[in-house]
């Protein structure tokens, strides 16, 4: 208690100190003039200097346009002699501060790094020389469109207006540039008719001329703003899809149109021509679009991999060859090695893909060959287990590829509401999976979630953020900055918290590191495959057909994803049969122990923070708590599960009693979770509620409070347990 | 002048008569306009009628580029009345045209035309031409050329001269060329010019580069570093004085370099913008000095990599590069060499691979600032050169020797044998690509020499020195070019009697070469051969008899007066392979007498010829003067060491004759030459000296003092014993 009071006091003191310091610093800057010397030949320089100007003005500097009388000159330019692509260095020399980038992107990163320092309270005169260079070349965001979306769901539809608004994109792209993401990949079933009226197929367009103009402005705006920010843009459609209007006019592709998404192939020549011409026309009419993604799915059911490969060659690849401009290419690892679209892999299919890739010498390389890291649940373990469909063989890596690089798609289908940030997980991930020379980078994002409309926040006070992704700022900052430079220290992220919340924010990074490890631990322990098979923040998983609370019984029987973890069933089996467990395997008890200790520490770290009316800080604290309660719930459920299974396998009655006790504690933590989240979170639409078929509940809602009866059921299950 | 002109016209009419009524058709592709014009004017000059459209003609001359000929090679093939001029590329064809012209001038009948074929011995044959704005040094000797050098007429004439002598690269040197050529996109404050002034400069540079290109001549800018414009330095309140007229660091040349990133950006972007805005500019050259004091060789290299090379690399077109060998292996800028710096430099060039339109020309000063001395490489800028740049044979660069002339600006010069020997010794190695010829302290534009203004046929200074350019250019292209060709040049200009002038120049020029070789010179103003001057404590002065005794020589196999006399008195055997002062004196005297004997037989029937003869005489009298001075110095030293009074008498006698010859020289030169501003008179720092006129007559008092020195000499046995002691 005494310690606590002391720390509270020192907290206030340091807060006062930093406020004084900030006042002093901005006073020092007050009235000082800055001349920004851009590189007028560099397309990205204007953006870099505009962002820098905004930050300088906020810090009390005034911007002058005369190149002779100034207190500070900031020079922005490319220096590709001493710097590689995307690298930057900041060199202060008296009143001249030079920001060099190895290219336009590097210049932006350098300028934004200086802006970040100003935001964190440094003055121009304080800045010491510093430099950074990228570790991975592709640092991409996967962002789905809510029109012609992969699945039909109100959870996706609800973003329509927001994603149609260029203001949203401006903010999103600013965030990407701040975090050094360099590629935006835009995914939906069939983007073409939203962008062009196909010259030879005007009947395919669903829009009036006026409507199409608006769509054009949107797409052009996104691509243009991305380019200004040094961000590449890719369209990643699925195949084979057409527009409803095309179907109506030509009587083909009846199941190849939204909302069908996992469907049969239609190999009509007319469709091929329509797709080939549409792709070429889009590339021609949108010169700022960087490239395309190739999908051997999901409307290619009933075909063999060779047919899919041939179709893509005749359509996309032919179109790319026909246009007179550089085109970049993402090639998705096919999700099926057979006729169905349900997911499988084979060496033969990999060999086919490799041979196609190696025959492509006409794109602006390297080609990014993308594979899903641990299928749809990359936020699990940093140990690689599988891609979509199963095992990844070494076909793509041996011999070493020359014209393509492999990139990991790390999906997040696991937490949309709660803020997340575990820097050690990302660092570990990159260290294990991002270091090989054949690896080109990462694509981070979701299929079942669009980070646009904030459909979470229940507070009646108007939040300071506008969009969903702004709530998850830490997620993007950690992924972006660590992909660029995995050596980025925690202190930088900690400063981001104190920059936002003052001294009150200083424990938050550590608290998130501890508490938001919970969904990673669940996803590592509870094996999952495709999108709906797990929703970690809701403790939900796909049952037979529906998305259900992960009951104690399912937890017991489910194999783990991470081979380093031991499932409850295996653990109990080994205990009962006295067989040995895998060496260094983490037992369910050890996992529960870690969860409990981390979550308790996290709760301690936030227990004394007074948000003092700051809504954002209130949410940050609440999310730490929510994760912590969820983690404590999971710990108790694991313990309960072990005791329950031991009892069922013949252990003494005391195990049953212990199981009941643990599950009752689990319920108590769930109730804590509801208490924290109910006032702050609305009932939230969730794509996962579709379950195993699109015919099921596409318009479902989620909130932890609705699951309480299922949590209670676990106690009943334990109480009713019998020795088998 | 009028008489001379009439004579020339009559002469032309007479010689042209046989061809007078014959007509010629000239066929040339549109890409060969310049070569075509050379051929047509040669024909017209000889009296042939060039038909403008097809018709009956006696001769058909066709000009065409030939794929089977190597670059710059050419051939002339005569088949009855059809004459084919072929060139390896545009340049080869231009050379064919000039060859045709030269043949026609020697034998003015197309029927007598002979087949000819030549290929170049050296690929790079460049002129170093300094600009009088932002000039390396600040001097009225340089400033005075401003109007001439700004005139495109001057450049047309200069470039014609280069083309006819087969020089293929014009390198333009000044401290900081950029603000005269561009308004830097990101640094408009760097240019002090108004838009219309800048437009004039743009027009000038664009036309210059275009005219060069038409003549098959590459153009390069060569600058020094780290320099900016004064306007730029003022705007950004830069520390230091990195702008004209400061060409070196202000104080001791250490710790003065301007290394700010702003200046780097400005430099890099200016290089790119210049190359982009002037597409006809071939390339760029750069210096690792003179304002790079306080930097290590590695820092200098990095600075150049980051700025000029990066700027050149950023240009989306082929660009050529001149990479000057660094002047300093230390922190200072005074000049030094070492193996480590050479290794670093070689690695830096090799890193460039084939980024540039190669080979890269690595410029190295042959015998520092005084290449007109000996044909053996004794030193480069800074000292001795190791073989780092040569072994193993480089792939992406070739050495281009810089043969400087800081030794004769007024007097005509021409030693074909020196140049042939130079090329045979130094131009044949696989790592050598060519030569640069030119000066730092002299610009060959305005004729500020000629006293008989208005009476001469030339307009510009370089035209006076036509033989210098003719010999260097033709012999770099083909060292086998026979003397007869140059004799024809004299005959064409001055008639048959002038044929032997070539040999007279051999003798006269040899006096200069021997004088320079007898002195261990280094930088520009350490020697000025045509004045027989060296740098002393008070600046440039004639070689005094006292100094001559102690003066070390350039070559180790040449003995100084002091060394020689000591050895002689000690009774040492002097190996016959050594050059001794008595032999040198004899040879100089012999050269002088031979030259004088030749010109005595040539009637000076034009003012131009008077000057040619006058210059040979001046060289000859310089030789006679110096031979006596050498002998006087030896006698004086003998007397002072051994005390034999007859040696003193001999010294007085030699120095009396020496002064007499000088008086003769004054008498010959005064009617021909005005007092001439001389850059050498600047002290060795950034200070400008406007009291800088040179004329032989001005040196008389100093030379007369030598005689007084001899008369006043006293034998001091003690000190001389000491001096004899090794």
């Amino acid at each position: 208690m005494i310690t606590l009071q002391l720390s509270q006091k020192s907290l206030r003191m340091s807060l006062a100190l930093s406020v004084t310091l900030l006042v002093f610093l901005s006073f020092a800057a007050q009235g000082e003039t800055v001349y920004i010397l851009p590189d007028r030949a560099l397309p990205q320089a204007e953006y870099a200097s505009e962002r820098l100007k905004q930050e300088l003005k906020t810090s009390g500097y005034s911007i002058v346009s005369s190149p002779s009388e100034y207190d500070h000159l900031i020079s922005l330019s490319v220096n590709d002699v001493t710097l590689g692509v995307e690298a930057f260095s900041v060199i202060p020399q008296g009143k001249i501060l030079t920001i060099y980038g190895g290219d336009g992107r590097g210049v932006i990163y350098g300028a934004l790094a200086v802006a970040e320092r100003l935001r964190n309270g440094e003055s121009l005169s304080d800045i010491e020389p510093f430099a950074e260079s990228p570790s991975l070349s592709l640092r991409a965001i996967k962002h789905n469109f809510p029109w012609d979306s992969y699945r039909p769901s109100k959870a996706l539809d609800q973003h329509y207006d927001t994603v149609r608004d260029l203001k949203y994109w401006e903010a999103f792209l600013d965030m990407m540039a701040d975090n050094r993401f360099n590629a935006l990949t835009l995914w939906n079933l069939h983007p073409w008719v939203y962008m062009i009226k196909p010259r030879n197929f005007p009947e395919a367009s669903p829009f009036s001329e006026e409507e199409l103009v608006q769509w054009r402005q949107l797409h052009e705006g996104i691509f243009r703003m991305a380019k200004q920010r040094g961000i590449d843009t890719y369209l990643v459609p699925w195949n084979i899809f057409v527009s409803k209007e095309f179907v109506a006019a030509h009587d083909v592709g009846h199941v190849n149109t939204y909302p069908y998404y996992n469907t049969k192939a239609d190999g009509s020549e007319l469709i091929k021509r329509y797709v080939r011409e549409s792709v070429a026309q889009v590339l021609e009419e949108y010169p700022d679009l960087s490239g395309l993604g190739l999908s051997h799915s999901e409307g290619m059911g009933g075909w063999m991999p060779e047919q899919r490969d041939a179709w893509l060659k005749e359509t996309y690849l032919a179109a790319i060859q026909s246009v007179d401009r550089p085109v970049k290419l993402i090639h998705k690892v096919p999700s099926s090695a057979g006729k169905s679209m349900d997911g499988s892999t084979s060496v033969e299919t990999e060999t086919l893909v490799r041979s196609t890739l190696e025959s492509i010498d006409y794109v602006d390389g390297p080609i990014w060959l993308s594979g899903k890291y641990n299928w749809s649940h990359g936020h699990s373990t940093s140990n690689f287990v599988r891609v979509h469909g199963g095992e990844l063989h070494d076909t793509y890596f041996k011999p070493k590829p020359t014209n393509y690089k492999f990139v990991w798609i790390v999906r997040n289908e696991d937490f949309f509401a709660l803020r997340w940030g575990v820097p050690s997980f990302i660092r570990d991930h990159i260290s294990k999976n991002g270091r090989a020379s054949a690896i080109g980078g990462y694509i981070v994002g979701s299929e079942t979630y669009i980070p646009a409309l904030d459909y979470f926040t229940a507070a009646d006070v108007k939040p300071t953020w506008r969009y969903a992704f702004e709530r998850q700022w830490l997620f993007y900052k950690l992924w972006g900055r660590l992909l660029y430079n995995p050596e980025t220290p925690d202190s930088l992220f900690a400063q981001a918290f104190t920059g936002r919340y003052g001294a009150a924010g200083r424990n938050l990074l550590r608290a998130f590191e501890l508490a938001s490890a919970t969904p990673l631990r669940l996803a590592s322990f509870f094996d999952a495959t495709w999108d709906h098979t797990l929703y970690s923040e809701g403790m939900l998983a796909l049952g037979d057909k529906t998305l259900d609370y992960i009951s104690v019984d399912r937890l017991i029987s489910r194999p783990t994803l991470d081979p380093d973890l031991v499932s409850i069933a295996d653990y109990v089996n080994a205990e009962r049969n006295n067989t040995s467990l895998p060496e260094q395997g983490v037992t369910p008890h050890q996992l529960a122990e870690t969860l409990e200790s981390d979550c308790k520490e996290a709760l301690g770290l936030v227990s004394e923070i007074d948000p003092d009316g700051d809504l954002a800080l209130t949410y940050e604290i609440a999310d730490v708590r929510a994760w912590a309660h969820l983690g404590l719930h999971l710990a108790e459920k694991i313990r309960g599960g072990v005791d329950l299974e031991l009892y069922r396998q013949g252990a003494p009655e005391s195990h049953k009693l212990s199981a009941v006790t643990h599950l009752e504690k689990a319920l108590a933590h769930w109730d804590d979770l509801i208490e924290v989240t109910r006032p702050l979170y609305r009932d939230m639409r969730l794509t996962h509620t579709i379950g195993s078929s699109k015919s099921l509940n596409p318009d479902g809602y989620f909130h932890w409070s609705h699951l309480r009866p299922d949590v209670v059921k676990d106690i009943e299950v334990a109480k009713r347990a019998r020795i088998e | 002048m009028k008489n001379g002109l009439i004579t020339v016209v009559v002469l032309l009419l007479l010689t042209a008569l046989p061809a007078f009524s014959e007509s010629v058709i000239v066929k040339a592709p549109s890409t060969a306009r310049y070569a075509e014009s050379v051929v047509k004017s040669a024909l017209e000059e000889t009296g042939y009628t060039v038909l403008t459209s097809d018709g009956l003609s006696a001769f058909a001359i066709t000009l065409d580029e030939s794929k089977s000929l190597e670059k710059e090679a050419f051939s002339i093939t005569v088949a009855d009345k059809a004459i084919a001029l072929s060139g390896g590329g545009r340049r080869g064809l231009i050379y064919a045209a000039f060859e045709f012209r030269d043949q026609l001038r020697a034998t003015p009948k197309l029927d007598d035309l002979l087949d000819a074929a030549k290929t170049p011995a050296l690929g790079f044959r460049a002129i170093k031409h300094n600009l009088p704005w932002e000039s390396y040094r600040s001097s009225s000797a340089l400033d005075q050329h401003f109007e001439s050098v700004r005139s495109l007429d001057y450049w047309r004439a200069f470039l014609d001269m280069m083309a006819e002598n087969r020089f293929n690269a014009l390198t333009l040197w000044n401290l900081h060329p950029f603000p005269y050529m561009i308004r830097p996109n990101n640094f408009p404050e760097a240019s002090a010019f108004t838009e219309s002034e800048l437009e004039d400069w743009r027009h000038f540079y664009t036309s210059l580069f275009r005219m060069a290109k038409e003549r098959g001549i590459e153009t390069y800018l060569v600058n020094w570093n780290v320099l900016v414009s004064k306007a730029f330095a003022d705007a950004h309140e830069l520390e230091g004085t990195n702008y004209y007229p400061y060409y070196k660091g202000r104080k001791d040349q250490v710790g003065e370099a301007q290394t700010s990133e702003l200046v780097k950006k400005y430099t890099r972007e200016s290089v790119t913008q210049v190359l982009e805005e002037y597409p006809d500019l071939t390339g760029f050259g750069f210096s690792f000095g003179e304002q790079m004091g306080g930097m290590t060789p590695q820092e200098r290299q990095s600075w150049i990599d980051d700025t000029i090379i990066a700027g050149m690399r950023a240009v989306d077109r082929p660009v050529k590069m001149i990479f000057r060998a660094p002047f300093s292996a230390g922190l200072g800028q005074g000049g030094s060499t070492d193996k480590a710096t050479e290794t670093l430099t070689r690695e830096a060039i090799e890193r460039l691979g084939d980024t540039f339109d190669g080979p890269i020309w690595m410029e190295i000063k042959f015998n520092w600032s005084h290449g007109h001395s000996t044909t053996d490489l004794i030193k480069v800028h800074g000292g001795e050169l190791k073989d780092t740049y040569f072994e193993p044979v480089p792939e992406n660069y070739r050495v281009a020797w810089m043969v400087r002339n800081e030794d004769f600006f007024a007097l005509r010069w021409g030693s074909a044998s020196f140049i042939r020997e130079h090329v045979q010794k130094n131009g044949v190695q696989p790592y050598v690509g060519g030569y640069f010829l030119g000066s730092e302290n002299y610009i060959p534009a305005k004729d500020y020499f000629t006293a008989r203004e208005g009476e001469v046929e030339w307009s510009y200074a370089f035209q006076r020195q036509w033989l210098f350019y003719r010999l260097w250019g033709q012999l770099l292209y083909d060292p086998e070019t026979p003397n007869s060709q140059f004799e024809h040049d004299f005959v064409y200009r001055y008639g048959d009697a002038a044929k032997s002038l070539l040999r007279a120049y051999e003798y006269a020029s040899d006096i200069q070469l021997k004088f320079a070789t007898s002195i261990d010179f280094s930088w520009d103003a350490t020697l000025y051969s045509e004045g027989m001057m060296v740098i002393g404590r008070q600046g440039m002065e004639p070689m005094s008899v006292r100094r001559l005794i102690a003066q070390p020589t350039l070559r180790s196999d040449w003995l100084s007066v002091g060394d020689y006399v000591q050895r002689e008195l000690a009774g040492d055997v002097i190996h016959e392979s050594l050059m001794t002062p008595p032999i040198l004196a004899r040879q100089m005297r012999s050269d002088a007498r031979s030259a004088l004997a030749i010109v005595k037989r040539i009637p000076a029937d034009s003012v131009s010829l008077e000057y040619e003869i006058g210059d040979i005489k001046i060289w000859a009298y310089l030789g006679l003067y110096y031979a006596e001075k050498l002998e006087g110095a030896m006698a004086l030293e003998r007397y002072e060491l051994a005390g034999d009074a007859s040696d003193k008498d001999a010294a007085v006698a030699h120095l009396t004759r020496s002064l007499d010859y000088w008086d003769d020289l004054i008498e010959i030169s005064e009617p021909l030459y005005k007092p001439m501003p001389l850059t050498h008179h600047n002290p060795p720092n950034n200070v400008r000296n406007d009291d800088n006129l040179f004329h032989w007559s001005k040196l008389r008092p100093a030379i007369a003092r030598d005689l007084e020195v001899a008369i006043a000499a006293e034998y001091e046995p003690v000190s001389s014993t000491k001096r004899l002691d090794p």
Side-chain angles (χ1 to χ4, degrees), chain A residues 35 37-41 67-70 73-82 91 93 95-96 98 100, chain B residues 184-189 234-238 259-262 264-265 268-269 302 305-307 309-310 313:
Chain A
Y35 172 65
L37 172 64
D39 184 340
R40 290 180 176 89
S68 57
E69 285 168 8
Y70 49 76
L73 180 149
I74 300 180
S75 161
L76 294 168
S77 68
V78 167
N79 182 340
D80 54 6
V81 179
T82 52
I91 307 167
Q93 288 176 322
K95 58 183 192 171
I96 294 164
T98 296
Y100 279 136
Chain B
N185 292 333
N186 293 319
F187 300 94
E189 70 278 11
D234 287 348
H236 298 287
E237 297 173 353
L238 295 187
T259 55
S260 94
E261 296 298 330
L262 192 74
K264 278 176 156 177
K265 175 179 162 77
R268 185 176 58 247
E269 293 180 0
S302 301
D305 285 345
D306 287 359
T307 56
I309 295 178
R313 217 191 262 270

Side-chain angles (χ1 to χ4, degrees), chain B residues 92-308:
Chain B
L93 195 52
I94 290 171
Y95 298 164
F98 278 115
E99 178 77 12
F100 171 85
R101 185 200 71 175
D102 290 344
Q103 275 207 40
L104 215 55
R105 282 179 176 180
T107 325
K109 283 171 75 180
L110 285 175
D111 285 318
D112 298 337
L113 207 68
L114 299 173
D115 284 357
K118 281 194 181 184
T119 53
L122 287 159
F124 187 72
R125 305 176 302 277
I127 291 287
K128 164 174 160 61
H129 191 300
N130 282 33
L131 297 174
W133 47 92
E134 299 264 327
S135 55
Y136 177 74
R137 292 189 175 87
S138 168
S139 168
S140 61
L142 304 172
D143 300 345
Q144 62 180 342
H145 298 283
F146 189 92
E147 290 303 327
S148 306
V149 178
R150 268 301 304 267
S151 143
L152 290 170
D153 287 341
Y154 166 73
W155 285 108
R156 196 169 294 112
F158 194 85
L159 291 163
D160 281 344
M161 176 281 287
M162 284 183 67
E164 69 177 78
N165 293 326
R166 302 181 195 153
F167 284 105
N168 62 9
L170 172 67
T171 63
L172 298 164
W173 302 53
N174 68 351
L175 288 182
H176 189 62
F178 313 130
Y180 291 77
M181 305 177 71
I182 54 161
R183 190 175 301 284
N185 292 333
N186 293 319
F187 300 94
E189 70 278 11
S191 175
F193 296 114
T194 65
E195 210 34 63
S196 88
E197 285 168 338
L198 193 59
E199 209 34 64
D200 287 347
W201 280 105
R202 281 204 183 102
H203 172 71
F204 166 75
Y205 274 107
T206 306
S207 309
L208 167 55
F209 298 149
R210 194 197 59 242
M211 288 194 296
K213 196 175 180 182
E214 285 165 0
R215 286 158 179 77
I217 294 169
E218 295 181 343
T219 42
Y220 295 83
L221 300 176
V222 186
N223 78 334
W224 280 270
N225 296 292
V226 177
L227 283 128
V228 299
S229 70
K230 184 165 190 306
F232 181 90
D234 287 348
H236 298 287
E237 297 173 353
L238 295 187
E239 283 181 17
T241 47
N242 294 73
Y243 44 81
Y244 179 84
Y246 303 97
Y247 65 105
K248 295 186 168 191
R250 267 176 310 181
K251 293 169 196 154
D252 54 358
Q253 304 163 31
V254 172
E256 289 284 321
Q258 169 60 260
T259 55
S260 94
E261 296 298 330
L262 192 74
V263 172
K264 278 176 156 177
K265 175 179 162 77
Y266 163 69
T267 309
R268 185 176 58 247
E269 293 180 0
S270 296
V271 169
T272 305
Q273 196 177 333
V274 163
L275 288 166
E276 278 170 351
E277 291 190 16
Y278 295 90
D280 285 344
L281 173 64
T282 312
F284 201 85
F286 43 83
S287 315
F288 291 78
E290 307 269 313
Q291 293 236 35
M292 289 185 136
M295 296 170 92
T296 62
Q298 179 59 60
E299 285 167 342
R300 290 188 191 115
Q301 182 61 55
S302 301
W303 193 92
I304 294 287
D305 285 345
D306 287 359
T307 56
I308 294 172

Side-chain angles (χ1 to χ4, degrees), chain B residues 552-662:
Chain B
T553 61
L554 172 66
R555 298 180 62 106
S556 58
D557 55 356
W558 284 39
L559 293 184
S560 71
V561 169
D563 275 354
Y564 172 74
V565 172
Q566 281 199 36
R567 289 203 202 185
E568 186 192 50
L569 292 176
D572 291 352
V573 178
I574 294 170
H575 195 274
E576 59 184 17
S577 68
L578 294 180
M579 172 65 103
T580 63
I583 301 174
L584 178 60
R586 262 200 314 278
Q587 288 186 354
M588 278 193 163
R589 188 175 288 121
S590 156
D591 280 345
R593 300 253 178 257
S594 305
L596 287 172
I598 293 170
V599 296
K600 206 175 168 185
R601 293 193 298 270
I602 302 172
D605 51 12
S606 74
V607 180
S608 297
L609 191 51
E610 267 183 61
Y611 268 91
E612 300 273 4
I613 291 167
D615 283 4
I616 289 167
K617 282 184 179 169
I618 296 170
W619 280 125
Y621 278 91
L622 282 167
L624 294 171
Y625 148 83
Y626 204 68
E628 295 295 343
K629 180 165 278 188
L630 278 165
E631 285 162 342
M634 285 185 284
L636 181 63
E637 179 67 350
R638 280 188 203 111
Y639 169 68
E640 290 189 333
L641 290 179
D644 186 336
S646 68
D647 283 326
K648 179 173 173 173
D649 293 345
V652 172
H654 282 303
L655 292 170
T656 304
R657 277 199 294 277
S658 178
L659 182 60
D660 288 346
Y661 284 129
W662 195 265

Side-chain angles (χ1 to χ4, degrees), chain A residues 673-687:
Chain A
L673 173 63
I674 293 170
E675 192 187 325
V676 172
T677 55
R678 189 66 276 186
L680 297 177
Y681 285 96
R682 292 190 256 166
D683 286 356
M684 300 161 275
R685 294 207 186 266
L686 181 65
T687 314

Side-chain angles (χ1 to χ4, degrees), chain A residues 519-581:
Chain A
L520 306 177
R521 287 174 177 146
L522 173 61
S524 302
F525 188 65
F526 188 92
D527 191 18
T529 57
W530 62 281
D531 307 1
H532 299 168
T533 57
L534 183 64
Y535 175 51
S536 296
E537 80 182 341
M539 199 58 76
L540 290 162
L542 186 66
D544 283 346
K545 281 189 172 175
T546 56
L547 186 75
D548 302 324
Y549 171 74
I550 299 174
S551 67
V552 68
D553 276 337
R554 290 175 72 197
L555 197 67
I556 291 166
S557 60
R558 190 71 154 212
T560 67
L561 170 71
D562 186 344
D564 287 350
L565 298 183
V566 180
S567 74
I568 296 174
D570 286 349
Y571 174 74
V572 170
N573 206 28
E575 284 284 299
R576 294 299 300 159
N577 303 322
N578 251 338
T579 53
S580 62
L581 288 165

